[in-house]
Amino acid sequence: EAGVAQSPRYKIIEKRQSVAFWCNPISGHATLYWYQQILGQGPKLLIQFQNNGVVDDSQLPKDRFSAERLKGVDSTLKIQPAKLEDSAVYLCASSPPVTNYGYTFGSGTRLTVV
Amino acid sequence: SQQGEEDPQALSIQEGENATMNCSYKTSINNLQWYRQNSGRGLVHLILIRSNEREKHSGRLRVTLDTSKKSSSLLITASRAADTASYFCATPMSGSARQLTFGSGTQLTVLP
């Protein structure tokens, strides 16, 4: 089966600019996650979608981050305006709507804010 | 908040040796998962062990779970240079069956 697709792979922007990341999960996976991974750390959950609804966005910095999952398939994560501390890898993952099942991750987008 | 933490932070071994990584967590869980991350790539799911299981095998991987000690270990036998990667344990967040929280990982280097 096709994996989780993410684009772009790399992005360099200046602080205060905006950026958007795109994710296409595995077909049939109702649950989609966005994680932020700062260099040397483990991934940290930003937001979880179930179909096109938000399950949990409690760790999303809503003053600058936004995410949507229209039609319950693709998702976009946006940062506006970006700060230096947003430099990280942004990972998208999906899973079927059952417990005791692992995630499938995309390759991530490496964001550098200068 | 972080639930699991791996130990050691870094491990360097020779090809053919076994590698053991440990994970400790804080609250009750219904499963624990291990993931691998090669440099510059996404995470790959390796194995999931349920709370009622004590040991699970997958190829050269062996995972144990001790719920009384709130700890797990991942053993990679007969390591290869291609096993060089970061390894993360992940546990469900409190109050959520499916949201995972990850530790900071163990960086494994297998020297040829």
Side-chain angles (χ1 to χ4, degrees):
Chain A
E1 63 180 3
V4 174
Q6 286 190 251
S7 67
R9 284 283 285 127
Y10 304 94
K11 191 74 177 179
I12 301 174
I13 62 172
E14 295 183 350
K15 59 183 179 184
R16 292 187 290 275
Q17 285 188 323
S18 62
V19 64
F21 313 125
W22 173 81
C23 172
N24 180 244
I26 288 177
S27 177
H29 280 194
T31 312
L32 184 148
Y33 312 83
W34 283 101
Y35 279 81
Q36 178 194 59
Q37 186 178 24
I38 293 172
L39 185 65
Q41 299 182 16
K44 172 191 158 188
L45 179 69
L46 292 174
I47 189 168
Q48 177 189 354
F49 290 94
Q50 180 76 15
N51 296 309
N52 61 346
V54 176
V55 173
D56 184 357
D57 63 357
S58 59
Q59 299 183 75
L60 188 73
K62 298 181 189 63
D63 58 334
R64 298 183 301 106
F65 286 65
S66 64
E68 61 181 9
R69 190 183 184 196
L70 299 176
K71 300 180 181 179
V73 182
D74 293 6
S75 177
T76 55
L77 175 69
K78 297 178 182 177
I79 307 175
Q80 182 180 12
K83 293 185 176 180
L84 296 177
E85 58 261 36
D86 297 332
S87 294
V89 176
Y90 291 84
L91 296 161
C92 178
S94 68
S95 70
V98 293
T99 57
N100 291 325
Y101 202 95
Y103 291 4
T104 302
F105 279 87
S107 295
T109 296
R110 181 176 297 276
L111 173 67
T112 302
V113 183
V114 297
Chain B
S1 61
Q2 272 190 328
Q3 160 84 296
E5 276 303 327
E6 296 86 349
D7 173 66
Q9 286 187 319
L11 179 61
S12 184
I13 59 174
Q14 295 293 134
E15 207 165 24
E17 294 181 338
N18 296 340
T20 300
M21 289 158 268
N22 303 296
C23 171
S24 59
Y25 58 92
K26 297 174 184 174
T27 62
S28 296
I29 57 173
N30 58 15
N31 72 74
L32 184 143
Q33 305 178 32
W34 286 91
Y35 289 78
R36 182 188 74 232
Q37 185 177 37
N38 291 90
S39 180
R41 309 299 296 179
L43 283 77
V44 173
H45 181 256
L46 296 176
I47 198 164
L48 180 151
I49 186 166
R50 293 177 171 77
S51 58
N52 61 353
E53 298 175 312
R54 291 296 169 259
E55 188 171 310
K56 199 163 182 180
H57 297 254
S58 176
R60 294 183 296 111
L61 305 181
R62 173 181 165 241
V63 169
T64 62
L65 179 64
D66 187 335
T67 53
S68 66
K69 295 181 179 178
K70 292 187 171 58
S71 67
S72 173
S73 67
L74 170 66
L75 168 68
I76 304 174
T77 59
S79 63
R80 306 166 182 168
D83 295 327
T84 294
S86 291
Y87 292 82
F88 296 89
C89 69
T91 53
M93 293 182 185
S94 296
S96 169
R98 294 204 301 278
Q99 288 179 11
L100 294 179
T101 181
F102 291 81
S104 297
T106 292
Q107 172 61 51
L108 173 66
T109 302
V110 181
L111 303 169

